[in-house]
Amino acid sequence: MQYSVSFPGGAVRYLHNTHFAGIDEVLTPANTIIMTDNNVAQLHTDLFKPFKAVITIPAGEEHKNHTTILSIIQQLMEHKAHRKTFLLGVGGGMVTDITGFVAAIYMRGLRFGFVPTTLLGMVDAAIGGKNGINIGLQKNMVGTIQQPEFILFDNELLSTLSDEEWSNGFAEVIKSACLFDAALFNELTENNIAYYQQNMAALSAMVAKSVDWKNKIVLADERENGMRKLLNFGHTSGHAFETVCKIPHGQAVALGMLVACKISEQFGLEATVTEQLHTLLQQYNLPVSIQADTNTLMDVLMMDKKRDNYGVDFIVLKSIGSAEIKNIEFDTVKKAIEEFTHAGDH
């Protein structure tokens, strides 16, 4: 199955179940440098043989930094990459973020595309043109907004995912359902990870729904001046959980969505919605509480890009499928976070 959608930067094609077949229709392998991490490189060595070169970076969010960027640029120079060289990011969200960022700054801009190899990458990280790196404890503090020429979705690449990575991806699917699609929320409630792993048609349809929702928002507000901010649901406190607790992005977003729902109850969200989300997250093997120091979490959150002197912009739910942006005072955020954190045993 394949279909095309338009992004602000041009046409982006989604190709399903191709296992790299047809990729030479959108690029020239001999002029393409693969960027990937060491885990993906080991799994797919044969797929990368036709390409000009492969640049491998260490796996892990801790390597999404300026040191890695400088190393990549040095390797691009060694491979004599020029302005007509194409960069292809093959991997999870960390790889696609870094690929897009390097492509934007090397020689003032190279063409690039993505092949996400995780569910999280497919439904979120590779979509929307945001590319960046972390500075210290602050996520994505330096970056660009630049669209890839194409994104290739190959569901066969998901066959190597760990159970944890499947759960991480579903956190972002659940986020889309909470924001925009009550029918998708109900579908997720009726199924589980094993169902989608065993039903490729259902998996493709679910991915397509999530991608289409995000794409519509990006088309309407590429630079995040308005409605694109809705996509931060679960991410404001989620980024703090991810940084402080050293947990994967999807797990952090799951906790962040619960915090956002608890805050949303103050603005009219029925408590039963928070309970439904709590149950659904457990159904997809995502955390609903964590051991953490609330003050440390708040220290990180108070450096969030969406803050002002009084509080921070939060995405609150009005109901499943409907959300809005509100500025929330830090004390209110802290109280909500305390609902889902606990101290360690003494």
Side-chain angles (χ1 to χ4, degrees):
M1 177 175 73
Q2 62 175 286
Y3 60 97
S4 298
V5 294
S6 294
F7 267 78
V12 180
R13 298 204 294 175
Y14 294 82
L15 308 151
H16 290 259
N17 297 328
T18 59
H19 211 60
F20 267 47
I23 198 168
D24 53 359
E25 296 176 11
V26 289
L27 54 74
T28 304
N31 192 44
T32 298
I33 294 178
I34 297 277
M35 288 183 52
T36 190
D37 66 40
N38 47 17
N39 291 337
V40 176
Q42 291 174 8
L43 289 169
H44 303 294
T45 304
D46 290 343
L47 291 179
F48 297 159
K49 287 181 178 178
F51 295 89
K52 174 182 174 68
V54 178
I55 293 177
T56 302
I57 60 179
E61 182 74 11
E62 65 272 21
H63 299 292
K64 186 178 159 183
N65 55 38
H66 66 283
T67 301
T68 299
I69 297 299
L70 292 176
S71 172
I72 291 168
I73 289 173
Q74 183 63 43
Q75 291 178 72
L76 286 172
M77 294 170 63
E78 291 171 0
H79 289 301
K80 296 182 172 53
H82 47 75
R83 287 184 173 177
K84 293 185 179 180
T85 299
F86 194 97
L87 296 187
L88 182 65
V90 184
M94 189 270 280
V95 168
T96 55
D97 266 13
I98 285 180
T99 300
F101 184 70
V102 170
I105 64 173
Y106 184 79
M107 291 189 172
R108 299 195 178 98
L110 302 182
R111 297 167 58 210
F112 68 101
F114 297 148
V115 182
T117 60
T118 65
L119 180 60
L120 180 63
M122 288 183 176
V123 300
D124 184 63
I127 311 297
K130 284 186 177 180
N131 315 292
I133 58 172
N134 305 331
I135 302 294
L137 296 178
Q138 300 306 315
K139 285 181 62 64
N140 303 318
M141 190 58 69
V142 175
T144 64
I145 296 180
Q146 191 158 323
Q147 302 294 341
E149 289 195 12
F150 69 86
I151 303 173
L152 185 149
F153 282 3
D154 183 349
N155 289 341
E156 291 183 29
L157 296 176
L158 300 180
S159 64
T160 61
L161 287 189
S162 66
D163 291 341
E164 181 179 78
E165 282 300 327
W166 277 100
S167 293
N168 282 332
F170 272 101
E172 291 287 354
V173 177
I174 291 169
K175 181 196 81 172
S176 294
C178 287
L179 288 172
F180 311 117
D181 197 335
L184 178 57
F185 190 92
N186 291 335
E187 176 190 324
L188 292 167
T189 300
E190 294 169 0
N191 297 299
N192 55 28
I193 293 176
Y195 169 78
Y196 290 103
Q197 289 173 326
Q198 297 162 13
N199 189 330
M200 199 59 67
L203 175 65
S204 293
M206 180 271 292
V207 169
K209 287 177 186 177
S210 297
V211 170
D212 286 344
W213 277 119
K214 184 165 186 180
N215 183 55
K216 288 175 184 177
I217 298 299
V218 172
L219 279 171
D221 179 25
E222 184 185 20
R223 296 283 163 176
E224 200 172 298
N225 296 314
M227 65 188 303
R228 185 169 181 174
K229 294 178 182 179
L230 293 175
L231 298 175
N232 290 316
F233 177 61
H235 285 62
T236 305
S237 59
H239 283 160
F241 282 118
E242 186 175 357
T243 299
V244 173
C245 302
K246 309 298 182 187
I247 57 175
H249 180 74
Q251 293 184 21
V253 169
L255 293 164
M257 288 190 288
L258 287 172
V259 171
C261 280
K262 183 57 65 174
I263 292 172
S264 302
E265 291 176 12
Q266 300 182 32
F267 300 96
L269 181 71
E270 295 183 5
T272 53
V273 174
T274 306
E275 294 168 5
Q276 288 176 328
L277 177 60
H278 187 283
T279 300
L280 185 60
L281 293 173
Q282 290 180 309
Q283 191 170 317
Y284 284 83
N285 302 324
L286 290 160
V288 293
S289 67
I290 196 166
Q291 178 182 323
D293 179 72
T294 307
N295 291 326
T296 305
L297 290 168
M298 289 303 300
D299 287 343
V300 174
L301 189 145
M302 290 174 72
M303 288 299 295
D304 190 277
K305 297 186 293 295
K306 301 175 288 300
R307 76 193 185 283
D308 58 25
N309 290 331
Y310 308 101
V312 62
D313 284 347
F314 242 80
I315 310 306
V316 299
L317 287 188
K318 295 187 285 185
S319 62
I320 295 298
S322 178
E324 60 185 339
I325 305 166
K326 287 189 177 293
N327 190 270
I328 307 298
E329 293 182 356
F330 289 121
D331 285 346
T332 301
V333 176
K334 184 176 181 179
K335 289 178 182 177
I337 287 176
E338 288 172 345
E339 293 275 341
F340 306 100
T341 58
H342 56 86
D345 296 331
H346 296 286

